[in-house]
Amino acid sequence: MTDTLLLVGRAHTREVAQIHAKRLRSRSIADRVDVATYDGDPAELDPEINSETYVVPMAAAPDRDTTRAIPGALPTAHHCEPVGTSPAAGRGLADRAREVVSPTADTSVALVAFGAGARETTERQADRLREMTKYGEVATAYLLQNPAVECLRYNLSGERAVVVPFFVAACEETEHAIPDKLDLDRGGLEYTAPLGTHE
């Protein structure tokens, strides 16, 4: 039997997952690297799997889908942590911020995530940013809980600030909900792309 690496995520992650799958194939990570996505319920998933299939959720943090629904839909596979829990994701978030605002003692960087299940992972990645960058301040904010995204611009202390959405791929939240709550049109805050196709 051959090893298969299966990247699984919601429909909006499909393009990003396919790019990463191509990269992984070129590195001979497994005999097969496939992508499977779903719109609303992981029960929709119907990929070809076997006992040597390793499922990697294309998600920022553990949630109901990654801990229950996907394993329930693909019970014979081995299930890995979501990609956002990796230290490599922390390096990707740091790079996204650095592309927009240089890390100095008088600049701030903020990670914005959903909240709820994403909080622990987001705080861990914020700690990694504190360790690996020279931003004077690293903050977190959430769409579904406090500290709230809409308060972020008033809570950051740096002369310049950059907000990094802690999401695997562009979606309604990164394209509209977060920018609207931050009132980006007012200026004073820079905003980056999500992790997306970062190497």
Side-chain angles (χ1 to χ4, degrees):
M1 233 176 250
T2 60
D3 287 351
T4 299
L5 188 63
L6 181 65
L7 306 183
V8 175
R10 290 189 172 272
H12 73 271
T13 68
R14 181 186 307 275
E15 185 177 337
V16 166
Q18 288 174 336
I19 290 169
H20 287 297
K22 183 177 179 182
R23 290 172 177 164
L24 291 167
R25 286 184 204 108
S26 72
R27 293 169 57 190
S28 300
I29 294 295
D31 294 325
R32 289 181 55 189
V33 180
D34 294 328
V35 171
T37 59
Y38 56 94
D39 285 317
D41 186 346
E44 301 167 16
L45 293 168
D46 189 27
E48 180 184 329
I49 63 168
N50 56 53
S51 61
E52 299 305 317
T53 298
Y54 293 81
V55 174
V56 179
M58 294 295 290
D63 61 12
R64 184 190 170 284
D65 281 1
T66 66
T67 59
R68 294 181 188 174
I70 294 171
L74 307 173
T76 62
H78 302 278
H79 293 271
C80 306
E81 289 291 311
V83 295
T85 63
S86 169
R91 293 189 294 274
L93 294 167
D95 287 347
R96 286 288 186 243
R98 196 178 301 112
E99 290 166 3
V100 179
V101 175
S102 296
T104 63
D106 60 357
T107 56
S108 299
V109 61
L111 298 182
V112 173
F114 253 122
R119 189 177 190 109
E120 182 180 339
T121 304
T122 306
E123 297 295 340
R124 191 176 315 124
Q125 295 295 16
D127 285 342
R128 288 179 175 138
L129 289 179
R130 290 181 190 104
E131 293 169 5
M132 74 174 76
T133 69
K134 295 182 179 178
Y135 287 103
E137 177 183 36
V138 178
T140 57
Y142 303 93
L143 283 167
L144 302 180
Q145 64 186 146
N146 291 325
V149 176
E150 47 267 42
C151 300
L152 193 56
R153 71 166 49 247
Y154 307 107
N155 294 336
L156 296 175
S157 60
E159 290 182 16
R160 295 189 68 201
V162 57
V163 176
V164 184
F166 184 28
F167 289 75
V168 170
C171 56
E172 171 65 24
E173 289 76 17
T174 65
E175 300 301 296
H176 301 289
I178 296 172
D180 289 350
K181 287 179 181 290
L182 291 172
D183 200 7
L184 288 180
D185 291 341
R186 284 179 52 191
L189 287 176
E190 301 295 334
Y191 187 68
T192 75
L195 284 168
T197 58
H198 187 283
E199 293 285 345

